Amino acid sequence: MNSGMGSRKHSVAETGYTARIATQLLLVIGAGGGFLYVAFYLIFIRPLPGTYSGVYFALRNLSAFLAPILAFSMLAYVLVLSVAIALISSYAVHKIAGPLYRMERALENYESGHGVKAVFLREGDQLVPLARSYNEFVTRLRDDRKEWLAAMEHAERLCLQDAATCRAEMGGALSRLSELLSRYR
Amino acid sequence: MLRVPRDAMSPRAPRHAARRTVFVNPRFQGGVALCFAAVVCAGAVLFALSFHNYSKSALRIASIKGHYHFLTPYDIIGGALGRHVAALSVGVLAASLLVLILLVRRIRRGAERLVETFRISMDGDLSSPANAGELRDIADLGKKIDAARGRTLSKIREIAAEAEFLRNEPLSDDEFARRWDGMKAAIRRLAP
């Protein structure tokens, strides 16, 4: 499990992640090329007749039928390779789409007024720094909020004394609060 | 593997962390798959045109030299087939890697802008826009982050205005206490 908070450095999209996709692409495209070569080899390896006219007509026929043979072969190649690469890329991009979805849910949770939860990502997910920075932002906001409340509650405790002291302390707390809030712009 | 302290944000966080998100984003994942499919398609079309032109003429030339000994058509166009398939594979691979690199770069740039947005927010800047507009999904997330920051800033401004009001206006004790409690409640509602 990846958390959004930790000491280990993560890049937004790790080099290993890109290298894994590149390797998978290399294997799939290499295999596709290999199968295409074998398919054409099997088509073109059929023996020619032994006579001059037989070779002439066989090659002429093959030349005429080359376009449909190529069209069918390339259609199969495109379909198979596109599906294979789509599966690879969808799985790979899932490691980015998932965290984006998590972040959207986290922002909805942040604005809902309910308890804000930290964002946790799955093992292997990318965008860990984004989740970490969101968690740190919320933590910082909560720390600030605690400080604001602490200033007010400190003044309230002094209200156990006389009313004039209470009002003066509260005025002081409000000045402190205004000062603390002024850093937000 | 990173682990978060149990009390880092919420005591229930580790239990939620174990949950898996099964989520497919057709626009994002489908768009990327279509980019790769376009690369494969373009490579296949170029291969078909080039190999067809070469093979057609090679077979026609060979047909009028039928007195030479050709056992199979592969003897005539086998070499060209190998070269064309190798060129197709290398070309498609190179173009796919280029697409991958460009995609990762765009994702990285957009996400880094969002990270930077949260960092400046921690320093109190809740108004500078994220401007993560490289990829639509990341740009949309940037807009949502901006909206959340904007609403947080307006709540903070309301609290600041209320603090100023309480500090400067001569209010009765009851009114002051009522507004004081209201302000505390407003502060508690901020990232609860």
Side-chain angles (χ1 to χ4, degrees):
Chain A
M1 178 191 72
N2 280 333
S3 73
M5 306 168 87
S7 57
R8 197 175 124 201
K9 283 280 177 195
H10 278 259
S11 71
V12 169
E14 291 167 29
T15 311
Y17 166 78
T18 314
R20 269 195 302 279
I21 306 171
T23 308
Q24 287 165 349
L25 286 174
L26 173 68
L27 291 175
V28 167
I29 293 168
F35 280 119
L36 190 68
Y37 185 83
V38 168
F40 280 124
Y41 175 78
L42 293 175
I43 292 167
F44 294 135
I45 201 67
R46 281 185 292 182
L48 292 167
T51 61
Y52 176 83
S53 60
V55 168
Y56 178 83
F57 286 113
L59 291 178
R60 287 278 163 161
N61 283 341
L62 183 61
S63 177
F65 280 106
L66 202 57
I69 290 170
L70 269 173
F72 181 77
S73 308
M74 295 322 293
L75 186 64
Y77 173 81
V78 167
L79 286 177
V80 170
L81 205 58
S82 294
V83 168
I85 293 178
L87 289 175
I88 290 171
S89 67
S90 294
Y91 180 73
V93 174
H94 177 68
K95 300 285 182 188
I96 289 167
L100 287 178
Y101 172 75
R102 278 280 173 122
M103 287 303 300
E104 284 181 15
R105 297 288 82 80
L107 287 171
E108 284 171 14
N109 167 238
Y110 173 83
E111 295 202 81
S112 68
H114 299 116
V116 178
K117 297 178 186 109
V119 175
F120 294 94
L121 303 179
R122 301 160 299 188
E123 181 69 41
D125 269 349
Q126 302 301 301
L127 308 183
V128 173
L130 181 60
R132 184 194 299 141
S133 60
Y134 168 77
N135 290 343
E136 286 171 353
F137 164 66
V138 173
T139 304
R140 177 64 194 266
L141 196 59
R142 282 179 164 171
D143 288 345
D144 282 357
R145 192 192 61 186
K146 277 181 197 163
E147 201 177 345
W148 305 339
L149 287 171
M152 294 178 80
E153 282 161 2
H154 176 72
E156 283 173 357
R157 277 195 293 276
L158 295 171
C159 281
L160 296 172
Q161 299 175 26
D162 60 291
T165 308
C166 174
R167 196 63 179 259
E169 286 299 330
M170 283 180 159
L174 289 170
S175 299
R176 170 91 180 118
L177 189 60
S178 295
E179 186 190 319
L180 292 172
L181 290 169
S182 66
R183 83 178 196 87
Y184 285 98
R185 59 197 182 278
Chain B
M1 187 175 76
L2 294 174
R3 288 212 176 273
V4 176
R6 190 165 269 274
D7 58 348
M9 286 285 294
S10 160
R12 296 177 62 196
R15 188 167 64 81
H16 286 277
R19 194 198 305 157
R20 285 177 65 82
T21 304
V22 180
F23 179 70
V24 176
N25 184 337
R27 191 176 67 183
F28 190 23
Q29 286 162 293
V32 172
L34 277 178
C35 283
F36 284 116
V39 166
V40 174
C41 209
V45 168
L46 288 176
F47 169 88
L49 290 174
S50 173
F51 186 62
H52 180 258
N53 285 341
Y54 176 86
S55 304
K56 198 166 184 177
S57 66
L59 290 172
R60 279 181 188 278
I61 291 167
S63 69
I64 55 175
K65 293 178 182 171
H67 50 284
Y68 291 111
H69 190 61
F70 296 122
L71 288 175
T72 64
Y74 184 78
D75 292 342
I76 304 162
I77 53 174
L81 174 66
R83 285 194 301 276
H84 276 79
V85 170
L88 169 71
S89 300
V90 170
V92 169
L93 180 66
S96 299
L97 291 179
L98 186 66
V99 168
L100 176 67
I101 288 166
L102 290 175
L103 178 73
V104 168
R105 202 172 70 168
R106 292 177 80 187
I107 290 170
R108 197 172 274 173
R109 276 187 188 169
E112 279 171 358
R113 276 296 307 151
L114 298 182
V115 170
E116 185 58 27
T117 302
F118 280 126
R119 288 204 180 123
I120 61 170
S121 300
M122 285 168 66
D123 295 333
D125 183 355
L126 296 174
S127 49
S128 299
N131 286 333
E134 292 258 332
L135 276 175
R136 201 196 289 177
D137 288 76
I138 292 182
D140 288 349
L141 182 63
K143 284 176 191 160
K144 286 178 182 168
I145 291 171
D146 284 345
R149 291 164 66 225
R151 280 188 277 272
T152 303
L153 183 60
S154 59
K155 283 178 191 168
I156 289 172
R157 280 181 178 156
E158 280 172 23
I159 293 165
E162 184 68 5
E164 282 300 306
F165 181 81
L166 284 175
R167 200 155 63 106
N168 297 325
E169 295 297 319
L171 298 170
S172 67
D173 286 349
D174 286 346
E175 177 68 7
F176 184 88
R178 193 180 63 75
R179 297 190 81 132
W180 175 273
D181 289 341
M183 195 169 72
K184 272 179 75 179
I187 291 173
R188 284 203 177 97
R189 282 196 295 273
L190 205 67

